[in-house]
Amino acid sequence: MNIDVIMRDGCRVAAVLLKWACILAGLSACVGSACAVFLWLLDQAAGTRLSHPWLLYGLPVAGVAVGLLYHWFGRTAEGGNNLIVDQIHEPGGGVPLRMAPLVLVGTVVSHLFGASVGREGTAVQMGGSIASAIGRLCRLRDPHEIRILLISGIAAGFAAVFGTPVAGAVFGMEVLRVGRIEYGALVPVILAATVADWVCHAWGIEHVPYTLGFHGYAGRDGRFFHADIILLAKVVVAGVAFGLASLLFAESVHRVAAVLRRTCPTPWLRPAIGGAVTIALVWVCGSRDYLGLGIVAPEDGGASILDFFGPAHYPLAWAWKLVFTVAVLAAGFKGGEVTPLFFIGAGLGNALSGVLHAPVDLLAAVGFVAVFAGAANTPLACTLMAVELFGAADIVYFATGCFVAYVCSGHSGIYLAQRIAVPKR
Amino acid sequence: MNIDVIMRDGCRVAAVLLKWACILAGLSACVGSACAVFLWLLDQAAGTRLSHPWLLYGLPVAGVAVGLLYHWFGRTAEGGNNLIVDQIHEPGGGVPLRMAPLVLVGTVVSHLFGASVGREGTAVQMGGSIASAIGRLCRLRDPHEIRILLISGIAAGFAAVFGTPVAGAVFGMEVLRVGRIEYGALVPVILAATVADWVCHAWGIEHVPYTLGFHGYAGRDGRFFHADIILLAKVVVAGVAFGLASLLFAESVHRVAAVLRRTCPTPWLRPAIGGAVTIALVWVCGSRDYLGLGIVAPEDGGASILDFFGPAHYPLAWAWKLVFTVAVLAAGFKGGEVTPLFFIGAGLGNALSGVLHAPVDLLAAVGFVAVFAGAANTPLACTLMAVELFGAADIVYFATGCFVAYVCSGHSGIYLAQRIAVPKR
């Protein structure tokens, strides 16, 4: 090989690296900023809802309004997360840029009127649609490059909205197929996720910090060790329950959605049913704790993710949240499943801690990530998320809970476009 | 489905779960105990070597003695790690139980006389051979079950020898193929790894604790955030260097081994060359810091993994360690590559921290795991290992370093039996 060839190859590699550095920087800046706007709007919406409780009665109408918005302007954007995953498996028409503003408005309206939805769907869809737009702008044609870019968009959105860059990166690679990780995207995803999270933070967005006091039992010598066999066995039992909760959630959403499709064939009218059911559920259970994200309770002593880490016991909060969330998601409200899954998992962990005589904050933290791991089929991303949110001391229990829940949750999952690479046995 | 069928199916599932619980408990107890004995013997060997410096001159003879041991009694055990990986891909003759005592004796002798080798090969081989023996004892015939059991053995050995259960579990699933994780083993590996590590600890074995003082830069508001963009860019540059170091190491071992095979066709005689070269290298560099594991320096001011986290700079220590290790591994000494790779990585991180103006302890920690991630093609296991050893605060840099090193290290790797599932591009 002579000097000319080396120089030419070097220049070619440098050009590719420079192109990708620019693409990823632009992607992360846009997605991080979009997530910052989104999280700020969510905060405003939650505050407004709490100070104007009557807004709940507008939920059916608000849902129909968002339904009509999608009906008139949505086109393929209706596909949501599944469209993005499909476009990664078989790059085709791309993801429309209109998906980003539509899902942003749709989710903020859902939260303003009290629907029990999450935020990750919105972040992932903003990430995917911005990535697809950047791909068109840069005239990327290689399907492999488009795939990497879309995965990076998912990772960036997830990372910025939860403030967990490594979990976001691994989530983007792990969510596409059950039982497989897309190693080809390793470096782009970690860079996109970290920079998007940094951009979101630079806009002044702060994430709620969780405190996990349990750091293992002290041994006879007074020192802590990262694993206790009895507690590990309890976490395995809890992990089975978390996996079954994931299965129950995913199956409920799919089945109730199918029933609603048959009952009400007009898609934009269906949210009215979800809204009406939510209002009825608030009457029946006599609490507004299960509306919105549920990270902080509207009043002292209510059920919320943060409260599940404390000493009070909430035996049925997880089940109520499951019903509230299934009702609106199956009816077509926008937002996503993940924060409600955190609530269901942490609540179930809280409930189980009494039965299993295990530290309540530990089981709440394990449930927080494990139910999500089972429902999204992403055990490694969820283990890393637990480490990023709760620290490294309890990593053995996080991994055990997520791995067991993954195995026990069956194949349905919350993302219908997810392919099955390796069936669970 | 009637009650009889449900009862029968339930009993069948319960029987399978009970069988596997017993198998994994037995496996973990044996592997954890074997690793405890091994680590205790290593400590004794290192102490004896330091108090009797003349032992180094016995290294060529000791190497030949171990070579003859394998020649007379080894049979297929000579295959080492590669035999285990092969048996997982294509279950056949199994892994002989004799591999465990042979590699244990071989490694302790290597360390007693000062060869620069590691410990993970020994732990993995003890785990694999004990797992294979338990499989024969329990008359397992299903290739899928045998595969899961062998992967659990690898995970248990790795977890116990380094005190990192989650990294051990993921290592077992990730090391088999480049670019793929064996999700089918998820629950058995985490249980085997955690229990084996617990058993090893219960025997009183303590692992050297590493302290990483860097926890991010404080922002304008005086608070810490988990990512800094400039530092991230520096870690990317360092990651490229770590990946190239992995490539250099793996290629050097393979090429020098090929040269030695041609020069000296008798396998059991080759260690004499490695021993003689080691003695010559000690004369040339005038230091004994590169003998043995290198976790703690034999005297104050020497180069060692722990010292690389401190303020002193060691510009060439990583290169010396690489030469010392290639010389003995290529010549057939037993032990493994991983602890020398930790040394090379941490040393290179220490050297780069001056050039890049980055915190020395952070780059030492990233190098510690990243060079290993590149050489073993296990970026996720190494990220988790860093979290288990150094805590969660710097996880973004750990992941970035490991992912970049993985991509830059090429396909050769230290495990020749590792298959390539997804080529790097």
Side-chain angles (χ1 to χ4, degrees):
Chain A
M1 212 191 295
N2 60 30
I3 294 291
D4 280 2
V5 176
I6 293 176
M7 286 292 289
R8 209 182 52 209
D9 279 8
C11 288
R12 202 176 49 82
V13 169
V16 170
L17 286 180
L18 191 67
K19 179 180 88 172
W20 272 95
C22 294
I23 288 179
L24 290 176
L27 173 70
S28 315
C30 294
V31 177
S33 304
C35 285
V37 171
F38 171 51
L39 289 173
W40 184 82
L41 284 174
L42 271 193
D43 243 22
Q44 304 301 312
T48 310
R49 177 170 65 80
L50 289 183
S51 51
H52 301 87
W54 53 265
L55 277 171
L56 174 64
Y57 301 102
L59 185 60
V61 177
V64 171
V66 172
L68 281 173
L69 201 68
Y70 269 81
H71 180 67
W72 288 328
F73 306 109
R75 294 193 215 162
T76 56
E78 185 70 51
N81 291 355
N82 290 319
L83 175 68
I84 299 174
V85 174
D86 277 335
Q87 286 297 320
I88 292 172
H89 287 307
E90 287 162 30
V95 182
L97 186 55
R98 63 180 67 208
M99 187 189 265
L102 277 173
V103 75
L104 178 68
V105 171
T107 307
V108 172
V109 168
S110 297
H111 279 280
L112 180 64
F113 290 89
S116 169
V117 292
R119 337 169 250 190
E120 115 293 345
T122 318
V124 163
Q125 291 175 41
M126 292 196 303
S129 65
I130 292 172
S132 191
I134 290 179
R136 286 191 294 272
L137 196 74
C138 300
R139 305 221 171 114
L140 291 191
R141 301 212 187 286
D142 180 357
H144 177 74
E145 290 193 331
I146 295 175
R147 202 172 285 140
I148 299 289
L149 186 60
L150 285 174
I151 299 175
S152 304
I154 294 180
F158 190 98
V161 86
F162 294 120
T164 54
V166 180
V170 176
F171 179 82
M173 299 187 289
E174 198 178 25
V175 74
L176 308 170
R177 291 197 190 90
V178 177
R180 189 144 301 167
I181 284 200
E182 197 62 42
Y183 273 81
L186 219 43
V187 171
V189 290
I190 188 73
L191 297 181
T194 308
V195 178
D197 169 50
W198 182 85
V199 168
C200 186
H201 175 79
W203 283 111
I205 299 294
E206 298 281 347
H207 297 277
V208 174
Y210 298 95
T211 348
L212 176 52
F214 180 79
H215 283 74
Y217 297 118
R220 274 185 224 147
D221 53 358
R223 290 158 77 179
F224 292 92
F225 184 64
H226 51 249
D228 175 87
I229 292 298
I230 309 290
L231 187 53
L232 187 78
K234 291 177 180 174
V235 170
V236 170
V237 174
V240 174
F242 295 141
L244 296 177
S246 317
L247 178 62
L248 178 65
F249 180 86
E251 282 292 317
S252 304
V253 172
H254 300 325
R255 289 184 188 205
V256 174
V259 170
L260 287 182
R261 269 196 300 274
R262 276 199 304 273
T263 323
C264 172
T266 317
W268 54 266
L269 258 179
R270 267 176 238 145
I273 306 176
V277 171
T278 300
I279 296 170
L281 284 169
V282 168
W283 281 340
V284 173
C285 85
S287 164
R288 286 171 172 253
D289 294 352
Y290 310 109
L291 301 176
L293 287 176
I295 296 178
V296 187
E299 50 208 38
D300 276 356
S304 79
I305 299 182
L306 278 177
D307 288 303
F308 294 145
F309 287 78
H313 277 286
Y314 301 88
L316 287 176
W318 69 274
W320 278 114
K321 185 71 176 179
L322 193 147
V323 176
F324 270 82
T325 311
V326 168
V328 287
L329 285 180
F333 275 87
K334 303 294 161 194
E337 295 85 351
V338 176
T339 310
L341 286 172
F342 292 162
F343 188 111
I344 294 168
L348 183 54
N350 177 291
L352 287 172
S353 73
V355 187
L356 294 170
H357 299 286
V360 60
D361 50 352
L362 177 71
L363 282 200
V366 172
F368 186 107
V369 287
V371 173
F372 171 36
N377 292 312
T378 53
L380 291 171
C382 290
T383 302
L384 289 162
M385 179 171 222
V387 168
E388 291 187 280
L389 292 178
F390 309 118
D394 298 307
I395 184 171
V396 166
Y397 307 112
F398 300 148
T400 305
C402 290
F403 292 8
V404 172
Y406 168 83
V407 170
C408 295
S409 69
H411 288 106
S412 51
I414 50 176
Y415 303 116
L416 289 172
Q418 193 177 48
R419 313 281 165 101
I420 295 177
V422 180
K424 308 178 187 176
R425 347 203 312 172
Chain B
M1 214 190 293
N2 60 30
I3 296 288
D4 279 4
V5 175
I6 294 177
M7 286 292 290
R8 210 182 52 211
D9 279 9
C11 288
R12 203 178 47 83
V13 170
V16 170
L17 287 180
L18 190 68
K19 178 181 89 176
W20 272 95
C22 294
I23 289 179
L24 290 176
L27 173 70
S28 316
C30 295
V31 177
S33 304
C35 285
V37 171
F38 171 51
L39 290 173
W40 183 82
L41 284 174
L42 271 193
D43 243 23
Q44 305 302 312
T48 310
R49 177 172 64 80
L50 289 182
S51 51
H52 301 87
W54 52 265
L55 278 171
L56 174 64
Y57 302 103
L59 187 59
V61 178
V64 170
V66 172
L68 280 173
L69 202 66
Y70 269 81
H71 180 68
W72 288 326
F73 306 108
R75 297 194 211 161
T76 57
E78 185 69 51
N81 292 354
N82 291 319
L83 175 67
I84 299 174
V85 175
D86 277 334
Q87 286 297 321
I88 292 172
H89 287 309
E90 286 163 30
V95 182
L97 185 56
R98 64 180 68 210
M99 184 189 266
L102 277 172
V103 75
L104 177 69
V105 171
T107 307
V108 172
V109 169
S110 296
H111 280 280
L112 180 65
F113 291 89
S116 169
V117 292
R119 340 170 247 188
E120 115 293 346
T122 318
V124 163
Q125 290 175 41
M126 291 196 302
S129 66
I130 292 173
S132 191
I134 289 180
R136 285 191 295 272
L137 197 72
C138 300
R139 306 222 169 111
L140 292 189
R141 302 214 186 284
D142 179 358
H144 176 74
E145 291 193 329
I146 295 174
R147 201 173 283 138
I148 299 290
L149 187 61
L150 285 174
I151 298 175
S152 304
I154 294 180
F158 190 97
V161 86
F162 295 121
T164 54
V166 181
V170 176
F171 179 82
M173 298 187 289
E174 197 177 27
V175 74
L176 308 171
R177 293 197 188 89
V178 177
R180 188 143 302 167
I181 284 202
E182 197 62 41
Y183 273 81
L186 218 43
V187 171
V189 289
I190 188 74
L191 296 181
T194 307
V195 178
D197 168 51
W198 181 86
V199 168
C200 187
H201 174 79
W203 283 111
I205 298 294
E206 298 281 347
H207 297 278
V208 174
Y210 298 95
T211 349
L212 175 52
F214 180 79
H215 283 76
Y217 296 119
R220 275 186 223 148
D221 54 358
R223 289 157 77 178
F224 292 91
F225 185 64
H226 50 248
D228 176 88
I229 293 297
I230 308 290
L231 186 54
L232 187 78
K234 291 176 180 175
V235 170
V236 170
V237 174
V240 174
F242 295 141
L244 296 177
S246 316
L247 179 62
L248 178 65
F249 180 86
E251 281 293 316
S252 305
V253 172
H254 299 324
R255 290 186 187 203
V256 173
V259 170
L260 286 183
R261 269 196 300 273
R262 276 199 304 275
T263 323
C264 172
T266 318
W268 55 266
L269 258 179
R270 267 175 237 145
I273 306 175
V277 171
T278 298
I279 296 169
L281 283 169
V282 169
W283 281 339
V284 172
C285 84
S287 163
R288 286 171 171 253
D289 294 351
Y290 310 109
L291 301 176
L293 287 176
I295 296 177
V296 186
E299 50 207 36
D300 277 356
S304 79
I305 299 183
L306 278 176
D307 288 304
F308 295 144
F309 287 78
H313 278 284
Y314 301 87
L316 287 177
W318 70 273
W320 278 115
K321 185 69 176 178
L322 193 146
V323 176
F324 270 80
T325 310
V326 167
V328 285
L329 284 181
F333 275 88
K334 304 295 161 192
E337 296 84 350
V338 175
T339 309
L341 285 171
F342 292 161
F343 188 112
I344 293 168
L348 183 54
N350 176 293
L352 287 172
S353 74
V355 187
L356 293 171
H357 298 287
V360 60
D361 50 353
L362 178 71
L363 281 200
V366 172
F368 185 106
V369 287
V371 172
F372 170 36
N377 292 311
T378 54
L380 291 171
C382 290
T383 302
L384 289 163
M385 180 170 220
V387 168
E388 291 186 279
L389 292 177
F390 309 118
D394 298 308
I395 184 171
V396 165
Y397 308 112
F398 300 148
T400 306
C402 289
F403 292 7
V404 172
Y406 168 83
V407 171
C408 295
S409 69
H411 288 106
S412 52
I414 49 177
Y415 302 116
L416 288 172
Q418 193 176 48
R419 314 281 165 100
I420 295 176
V422 180
K424 308 177 188 178
R425 346 201 318 168

